[in-house]
Amino acid sequence: MTASTASTAASASATASDPAWLPPEAFRALGSRRVLVHGDGLLADTVWGEVTAACAEFGGEAARVDGPDPAGPYDLLLRTRREHLDRLGEEGFFLERAGGRTTVTAAAPHGLLHGLFHVVRLGRTAFDRDRQRQAHRPALALRMLNHWDNVSVHPVMGQVERGYAGGSLFWRDGAARGSRADLDRVRAYGRLLAAGGINALALNNVNVHAEEARLLTDRLGEVAGLARALRPYGIRTHLSVTFAAPVVLGGLPTADPLDPAVRAWWAEATGRVYAAIPDFGGYVVKADSEGQPGPFAYGRTHADGANLLADALAPYGGTVHWRAFVYDHRQDWRDRSTDRARAAHDHFTPLDGAFRDNAVLQVKHGPMDFQVREPVSSVIGAMPATRIAVEIQATQEYTGQQRHVCALAPMWSEVLRFRPQGEGTPTVAELARGGLVAVSNAGDDPYWTGHPLAQANLYAVGRLGWEPGANPYRLLGEWIDLTFTPERSPEPERLRAGVYAVLKDSWRTYEKYTAPLGVGFMVQPGHHYGPSVDGYEYSPWGTYHFADRDGVGVDRSRATGTGYAAQYAKPWSELYESPDTCPDELLLFFHHVSYDHVLHSGKTVIQHIYDTHFEGVEEVEEARRVWASLADLVEPGRHARVAERYEEQLRSAREWRDQVNSYFFRKSGVPDAHGRRIY
Ligand code: GCW
């Protein structure tokens, strides 16, 4: 046994950014013990760095050992044993405790890293009682973030498309961040993501502009530099690419996926990527969607397109994530037969079985576009022979843009536990063999996410990908315990309960004061913040609510509507088909009903609209009050930032309430049963 005791070690999180869910304090239980680390390679070095830093901080002792079963006194052993690979995979680990010793056994260093962070999450409880050996393995092999970052500031979208947390973590002034401090921050970001369970990240926007296209070729060095900063925490780097790359970068006359010169171009370009980044993850592609080029221009299918890239990546074990977000964004609002909700299903289900194994179809969780309430996309259960990845949106484009508190884990959890074929059949998480993908909500803001409480969403992505059946409220509690370390607070319970109270129902609160009963949109066009009930009503985007003096909602039934309800398997197709059985929260997504239609709740639609909008604002007022009451327990900077955002949330929620209520009062002429103020 070779041992070296930690004396000084640079803190792995040395950065100006907020420590988020990895404050030094979270390492106290581990760092005050005798810890042995066994394992070789980059990620084992990372584990060793974490352990030595923690021990230096809290007075423990760290030693790195050659053999997996050292003698001598220790409290925690973190070891790798290759023979468990079948059972644990690269990322899994066993945890056990006996005879006063806690042992993490992984088959590979990546598993060791996850095991380390698991011990951090457990804190003292990792050391206070015996535990039988328990295996931990991620349910979804790929847990990925997509950054919608541009290299430069885009004139309309800013640097990060739909970004609410400052500029990009990866680029500044048109060049990849390369200073020591910048790369430290990228590394710290990778560290946070790894501690939440993320293992992959696409660096750039799926809307690929000219500069970003070149990341694939002459700007590849920038990608390699960023990949180097993320690699020590087990985050594999992916790139969004343009389908037109052979034309715009290669000078070919066509990007036709069946053209041999095009295929050769992709093979060569991909070879160069792997020469520079041997563990490169693969490509993300938005094709034939909102103006991005794609295979339709050549009369080819999306399977042809995806397979072209899959074939180029296959020799290196890479994957293409091909997005299913394909719809007509230049539709005529007068045309009632075209339904955007149907589009992905109509385009892609006929192609089931036609995609290569390393071509993953990345499907947004709902059929429209990340609204606060949508049904689960019918595509997810309809393509058994295709590897599906489910895409969720951590960046709060339609859920308050990180000025409003909206903890999304409860919504994502509903999606992941939904069973597209009904009781007794696989869940969405089980069907998502291609992984869970989230659009990141992080940027170069010191709190990473603009709103400090939006960190909870970033945290939940990887945790739910790892364990989709986890209770999302437990994950909120876990995030609070790590971030706020209440056990170090003079009043742990008041702190924990207060933060929990403002997060717990925040998604439903947001739903209450915005678009009702699943109808969606009603946001201001373009930037999508704040109410505009008719903002998209006569637009080409396919997002309508059809309110008139008698009623509201979109008829998507088979019998009289667009037929979207029939794209589901039973029992959902039947349940959604009739307003009598359709769940209240999705009623206006699937049906156009009169204002006096009575919901299962016993309320009329119009009274439900009034009630929820008044309640939603009251809930924000209450949350703001609770947050204010925590001023003495929360670090002042963080407290002030959240308090300030509550002012805006409340202003905006009142605006939503008054516009939505007034709009429907004016359309329907039905007064509020409780005589409250409507304008
Ligand atoms: O939600 C919409 C956004 C676009 C985005 C698009 C997509 C990256 O408004 O900004 O483009 O979805 O998912 O491709």
Side-chain angles (χ1 to χ4, degrees), residues 148 157 161-162 205-207 286 289-290 323 325 327 340 364 369-370 391 393 397-398 439 526 528:
W148 286 353
M157 287 298 171
E161 181 155 345
R162 311 307 180 187
N205 193 355
V206 291
N207 289 327
K286 172 177 180 176
S289 167
E290 300 183 336
R323 296 178 83 230
F325 186 56
Y327 70 99
R340 173 166 164 182
K364 288 191 183 187
D369 198 359
F370 298 136
E391 185 180 313
Q393 195 183 39
E397 176 177 2
Y398 294 101
V439 183
H528 300 166

